[in-house]
Amino acid sequence: MGRWEPGAGGRLREAALNLYLERGFEQTMVADIAERAGVTARTFFRYFADKREVLFDAAAELEEKSLAALEAAPATASPLEAVAAALDAVAGFVERDRDLARTRYAVIMANADLRERELIKLAHMSAALADGLRRRGIGDAEASLAAETGSAVYRVAFRRWVDADDLDLRDAIDQSFAQLRTLTASD
Amino acid sequence: MGRWEPGAGGRLREAALNLYLERGFEQTMVADIAERAGVTARTFFRYFADKREVLFDAAAELEEKSLAALEAAPATASPLEAVAAALDAVAGFVERDRDLARTRYAVIMANADLRERELIKLAHMSAALADGLRRRGIGDAEASLAAETGSAVYRVAFRRWVDADDLDLRDAIDQSFAQLRTLTASD
């Protein structure tokens, strides 16, 4: 595995993700995670509320960062440009540890409940970005459409990035935006 | 309320939706629904597996109809044109009973679990449409992007339609597609 955050939290996250991947999420117990990380179960619960939280505890921070980037976009930015700035912030966050992002994605894809949870988190972020666009004076429907389209662009780019060895997530996002323009131009 | 399908199934659906709206989904019991519809609980279970199924039993049929429309689109249709044909079939289905669609939507929006369920059903339909586009020879990422963008267009159009008194759902979808073109052209 690649670079993980240091300390017991980082070791626990690495142990958990590897176990989820090896045995499946359902089959992994908190005691197994703690044992592999060389700590007690009590220590696990100092870092994570439960074993699902290992996968989703970054969602709030990610949403905050993306919203801050959207708000910092120049006033002249079009709605999709502002959304692109938000996605760029997400990409910067995710790219800090590609191995973690990929392992996490593989674990989520292998479990229907986790896929649903991920879908809900992404929808939540999309709604937050739409609200951010409304605060920039964008009309209600236009704001939703820009945010949800951006979310679609991100999901498609992320899946391509996960499967590729030498693709930058930011480049994948740019390519998806270009593909979107081609799709709508030929419509 | 408007036109519902006839017979005990239709009466049960009408009773259920009105009770969910009046009392909340959680607070409504199957016995209450059966009583209002003038049938027994046993009859309820001949039509619906549980009280949530009243809201989601059309999803499979809707997905089937949209996929058939996508498959029937001319070979020369662009990916988004094929998706638009699928959405047109969805709109035709939904427009058959505007009151039912609106009541259903109000009930779903009032409950977090139901909102998540609806999100998952829409994601499922989007994935099915992406698969349908791939079978038409569209590239993997392009197919996902067209289907997910179409799904965003539909959701935004549907919300506008629900809030409007004199808007046709098909017109709302056309307007959202036009808005999408404007968004991507100014990007």
Side-chain angles (χ1 to χ4, degrees):
Chain A
M1 303 304 298
R3 182 170 52 88
W4 304 76
E5 74 262 55
R11 283 210 312 282
L12 279 162
R13 194 188 302 276
E14 179 174 2
L17 282 166
N18 288 332
L19 283 166
Y20 298 164
L21 200 61
E22 289 163 28
R23 303 186 188 172
F25 176 75
E26 290 291 347
Q27 286 73 44
T28 303
M29 301 298 127
V30 166
D32 306 327
I33 301 168
E35 191 191 339
R36 184 169 295 192
V39 300
T40 62
R42 199 172 149 190
T43 302
F44 176 93
F45 290 113
R46 273 204 282 129
Y47 289 91
F48 306 105
D50 55 41
K51 64 180 191 166
R52 202 171 69 170
E53 204 51 27
V54 177
L55 298 162
F56 296 104
D57 68 333
E61 187 186 347
L62 202 54
E63 189 175 308
E64 226 170 81
K65 277 185 196 300
S66 68
L67 202 52
L70 182 120
E71 282 162 1
T76 52
S78 74
L80 272 190
E81 281 166 351
V83 169
L87 298 185
D88 196 65
V90 172
F93 186 90
V94 169
E95 286 267 20
R96 287 191 323 192
D97 194 331
R98 299 170 73 99
D99 289 333
L100 184 150
R102 285 170 183 195
T103 307
R104 177 182 177 279
Y105 185 73
V107 168
I108 288 173
M109 284 304 109
N111 180 294
D113 286 344
L114 297 176
R115 284 200 300 275
E116 294 185 357
R117 183 57 37 195
E118 176 76 345
L119 191 65
I120 290 154
K121 295 279 182 185
L122 287 171
H124 196 277
M125 187 187 294
S126 175
L129 293 179
D131 283 341
L133 287 172
R134 284 181 199 109
R135 286 195 297 273
R136 290 172 68 93
I138 310 300
D140 186 40
E142 197 183 357
S144 291
L145 193 58
E148 298 206 9
T149 303
S151 176
V153 161
Y154 179 77
R155 287 196 301 273
V156 170
F158 186 87
R159 286 196 293 261
R160 285 188 53 235
W161 174 76
V162 162
D163 290 337
D165 278 332
D166 54 355
L167 182 64
D168 189 84
L169 181 52
R170 287 194 166 94
D171 291 339
I173 291 171
D174 285 348
Q175 288 165 19
S176 283
F177 268 117
Q179 202 161 39
L180 176 68
R181 283 189 291 269
T182 309
L183 276 172
T184 52
S186 69
D187 176 32
Chain B
M1 306 302 299
R3 180 171 53 87
W4 304 77
E5 74 264 51
R11 283 210 313 282
L12 278 162
R13 193 187 302 275
E14 179 173 3
L17 282 166
N18 287 333
L19 283 167
Y20 297 163
L21 199 62
E22 289 162 29
R23 301 185 188 174
F25 177 75
E26 290 291 347
Q27 285 73 44
T28 303
M29 302 297 127
V30 165
D32 306 326
I33 301 167
E35 191 189 339
R36 184 169 297 191
V39 301
T40 62
R42 198 172 150 187
T43 301
F44 176 92
F45 290 113
R46 274 204 283 128
Y47 288 91
F48 305 105
D50 55 41
K51 65 181 191 167
R52 202 171 69 170
E53 203 53 27
V54 177
L55 298 162
F56 296 104
D57 68 332
E61 187 185 347
L62 203 53
E63 186 174 310
E64 223 170 84
K65 277 184 197 301
S66 68
L67 202 51
L70 181 120
E71 282 162 0
T76 53
S78 74
L80 273 190
E81 281 167 351
V83 169
L87 298 185
D88 196 67
V90 171
F93 186 91
V94 169
E95 286 267 21
R96 286 191 323 193
D97 194 331
R98 299 172 73 99
D99 289 334
L100 183 149
R102 285 171 182 194
T103 307
R104 178 184 175 277
Y105 185 73
V107 168
I108 287 174
M109 284 304 107
N111 181 294
D113 286 346
L114 297 176
R115 285 199 300 275
E116 295 186 356
R117 183 58 35 197
E118 175 76 345
L119 192 64
I120 290 155
K121 295 279 183 188
L122 286 171
H124 197 279
M125 188 186 292
S126 175
L129 294 179
D131 283 342
L133 288 172
R134 285 182 198 109
R135 286 194 296 274
R136 289 171 70 92
I138 309 301
D140 187 38
E142 197 183 358
S144 291
L145 193 59
E148 297 205 10
T149 303
S151 176
V153 162
Y154 179 76
R155 287 196 301 272
V156 170
F158 185 87
R159 286 196 293 260
R160 285 187 53 233
W161 174 77
V162 162
D163 291 336
D165 277 333
D166 54 356
L167 181 65
D168 189 83
L169 181 52
R170 286 194 167 94
D171 291 338
I173 292 172
D174 285 347
Q175 289 165 18
S176 283
F177 268 118
Q179 202 161 38
L180 175 68
R181 281 189 293 270
T182 307
L183 277 173
T184 53
S186 68
D187 178 30

